Amino acid sequence: WRNFIGYVIIKIEGLSLERLMNAAAAGGIRLIDCKRRAYTQIEAQVSFIGFLKLKKLLADASCVLTGIKKCGLPFFFLFLWERKGLIFGAVVSAMLIYALTSFIWVIEIDTKGEVDVAGIQRKLAEIGIRPGILRKDVFPDAIENSLMISDRSLGWIGVNIRGVKLHLEAVAMEKPPQMIDSSTPVNIIASKDALIEKIIVYEGWQAALEGQTVRKGDLLVSGVNPAGSATAGCVHARSEVIGSVWYVGRAGASTLEEERMRTAAIGERTFLCMGGWKVPLAGSRPGLPDYDTEAYKQLATQIYFPVYIMKETYYAVEKVEKARDLEPLRKELGKEAVRCAAAQLPEGAAVLGVSVVFVQTGENRVEAQAFIQARERIDCEELIINE
C-alpha cells in the first residue's frame, strides 16, 4: 500500500525535533520507522501527501527537511512525466507491436506421410495466403476445405493461427491395400535361403514343410493342382511363410602395423614468426621424401606485437612392422562385421541372435565373421506360365 500511494525517506535536522513531531501528529501526519541518527537529526518514512504537509510546518519548528529517497508509483509517474520522449517512444512502440502482430509473418507446414509440400505452398499462394497477410483475412476453415478439395491425396488438414505464425498440419491419406488379382495363377516361392518356421496356406497346395531348409526360388505353395487331386485347374496361391534367415558380415585386417621410428637428426631450420608471417632465417629442408619434424618456439620480443624464434629439427625415420594387440583389434573387427551384417536386414525383421567368430585368413591376417539370425517373411509370388 505504501508503494502504491508513495512514500519518502526523510531526514530532519534542528533543535526542535520534538515540537515538529508533535505538530505532525496533531496534523494527522504519520511518521514511520523513526530513527535518531544524532541529537539534532532523525530519519523517518512519511507518505507522499504527508511529505507535502510536513513542509508547511518547518517554518514554525525551525528545522530543515531533506528527502533522502522517493519511492512508489506517484514518483514513478512523475519520472515518466518529466521524460515525455520516453512516453512517446513507449506509445509508438506499443502501436508498432500491435500493428505488426496483426499480420501473419510465418507459414509453417508440418507433414505426416507422403505429402506434396510444394503443391500446398502453391495452393496457399493461389488463395492469397502468404507472409504479410492480415490475420483478420485468414479463415482456417476455408483454407482447410480448399486444400482438401484441391488435393485428394490428403487425408486431413489442420490450420491454426499462433501469434504471427500460421501453422498448417497435413496428413497423407492412407493408401488402400493392394487388390489381389485372384484370376492370375501364381506359385509361392522362397525369396531367400531360410529355415521354415511357420507356413500358413490361404489358397493353393502346400509344397514345403515347417522345419525344412529351403533355397532361394524353391517352391513353397503350389498354385497348380497336383496329380490325383479331386480339384482341377490352377489358382492364385496365397500364403504367409515365416522363416529364419542368416545374414553374414565380414571384416578383416592385418595383425601387423607399421611403426615410425626416428633414427637420427638430419637437419635444422630457423624461422622468424611475426603474426601470420613465417620468415626462414637459416637452414633448409632435408631432401628425403619421408621424415619427422619437431618444432620449438621461443618468444624473442613483444614491443608492439609478439615476435617468436622457431626452430624445426628434422629426423630420419625407419618403418618397422610391429605385431598389433589382438584383443582391441578383434573388438574393432567384430563391431565392423556386425554392422555389415545388420545393414542387410530388411525392415520389419526380428533379430533372434548374433554371433561372431574369428578366422585366420593368412599368415598375418585375421577376419571377423558376424552371423545374425533373423525371423521374417520369405514368401514371394511367381507367375505360372502355361506352355
Side-chain angles (χ1 to χ4, degrees):
W1 173 250
R2 285 190 294 165
N3 279 288
F4 181 75
I5 64 175
Y7 66 93
V8 184
I9 300 175
I10 60 173
K11 180 174 68 174
I12 306 173
E13 294 179 294
L15 298 174
S16 304
L17 297 178
E18 290 79 2
R19 183 188 302 173
L20 177 62
M21 294 179 70
N22 290 333
I29 302 172
R30 187 180 180 190
L31 298 177
I32 305 171
D33 196 17
C34 295
K35 297 176 183 178
R36 190 148 199 161
R37 299 300 185 186
Y39 180 74
T40 59
Q41 184 185 108
I42 62 171
E43 282 186 10
Q45 290 183 17
V46 64
S47 66
F48 175 57
I49 298 174
F51 178 71
L52 299 178
K53 292 181 180 179
L54 195 59
K55 284 185 176 181
K56 300 177 181 179
L57 303 177
L58 293 177
D60 298 335
S62 301
C63 295
V64 178
L65 176 66
T66 306
I68 300 175
K69 187 177 180 181
K70 300 175 181 179
C71 308
L73 283 178
F75 298 106
F76 176 72
F77 289 132
L78 182 62
F79 165 80
L80 292 180
W81 182 253
E82 293 174 353
R83 289 160 176 78
K84 296 181 176 60
L86 179 63
I87 299 175
F88 177 76
V91 172
V92 171
S93 298
M95 293 174 62
L96 284 175
I97 291 173
Y98 177 77
L100 292 174
T101 54
S102 300
F103 295 86
I104 296 294
W105 297 109
V106 178
I107 297 177
E108 186 179 74
I109 301 176
D110 288 340
T111 62
K112 184 177 180 181
E114 297 180 2
V115 177
D116 184 9
V117 178
I120 292 177
Q121 292 173 339
R122 286 194 299 269
K123 183 60 181 179
L124 290 175
E126 290 175 5
I127 61 178
I129 305 300
R130 55 174 56 88
I133 187 173
L134 281 170
R135 290 178 56 180
K136 67 181 183 64
D137 295 336
V138 178
F139 302 98
D141 292 341
I143 297 173
E144 294 171 4
N145 294 334
S146 178
L147 291 175
M148 289 294 292
I149 293 172
S150 63
D151 192 347
R152 296 296 183 181
S153 66
L154 296 176
W156 181 81
I157 285 282
V159 178
N160 296 300
I161 298 176
R162 301 175 180 174
V164 296
K165 181 188 295 185
L166 178 71
H167 181 263
L168 187 147
E169 187 175 358
V171 180
M173 181 178 292
E174 292 186 4
K175 295 181 179 179
Q178 186 177 2
M179 298 299 294
I180 298 174
D181 183 10
S182 58
S183 62
T184 304
V186 297
N187 291 325
I188 302 298
I189 62 172
S191 60
K192 55 189 68 176
D193 300 347
L195 172 67
I196 299 176
E197 291 189 359
K198 183 172 66 173
I199 180 166
I200 303 173
V201 179
Y202 301 115
E203 192 168 357
W205 293 269
Q206 184 172 335
L209 301 174
E210 294 182 1
Q212 178 182 339
T213 300
V214 293
R215 309 286 292 181
K216 181 179 179 180
D218 286 355
L219 182 64
L220 303 178
V221 178
S222 175
V224 180
N225 185 11
S229 175
T231 309
C234 298
V235 298
H236 185 105
R238 293 187 300 114
S239 69
E240 183 177 342
V241 183
I242 306 297
S244 292
V245 183
W246 284 264
Y247 296 92
V248 183
R250 294 180 173 85
S254 174
T255 57
L256 301 177
E257 62 179 351
E258 284 190 349
E259 185 178 0
R260 296 165 58 89
M261 297 184 61
R262 294 180 180 179
T263 56
I266 54 175
E268 192 175 78
R269 201 174 186 189
T270 306
F271 297 90
L272 180 67
C273 301
M274 298 177 293
W277 294 348
K278 187 177 176 182
V279 182
L281 298 179
S284 61
R285 292 185 179 275
L288 297 178
D290 190 16
Y291 54 86
D292 274 357
T293 304
E294 187 178 89
Y296 171 73
K297 185 184 287 187
Q298 183 178 5
L299 181 65
T301 180
Q302 192 172 1
I303 301 175
Y304 298 104
F305 53 88
V307 178
Y308 297 91
I309 297 295
M310 187 175 72
K311 290 185 178 180
E312 288 186 352
T313 305
Y314 306 107
Y315 297 89
V317 294
E318 182 180 349
K319 295 181 179 178
V320 180
E321 285 192 339
K322 177 185 174 183
R324 302 176 65 176
D325 190 351
L326 292 181
E327 189 62 28
L329 176 61
R330 286 186 173 187
K331 287 183 179 180
E332 183 181 344
L333 292 178
K335 290 179 181 178
E336 182 62 29
V338 170
R339 280 196 294 267
C340 292
Q344 306 172 43
L345 289 173
E347 185 178 355
V351 177
L352 301 178
V354 180
S355 61
V356 180
V357 296
F358 299 93
V359 294
Q360 196 80 19
T361 57
E363 184 179 355
N364 297 313
R365 187 171 181 82
V366 66
E367 182 181 80
Q369 298 178 355
F371 300 90
I372 297 180
Q373 183 184 5
R375 179 183 291 121
E376 59 185 270
R377 289 191 63 169
I378 61 169
D379 53 284
C380 66
E381 295 182 353
E382 180 188 52
L383 184 64
I384 298 174
I385 301 175
N386 295 320
E387 296 182 358

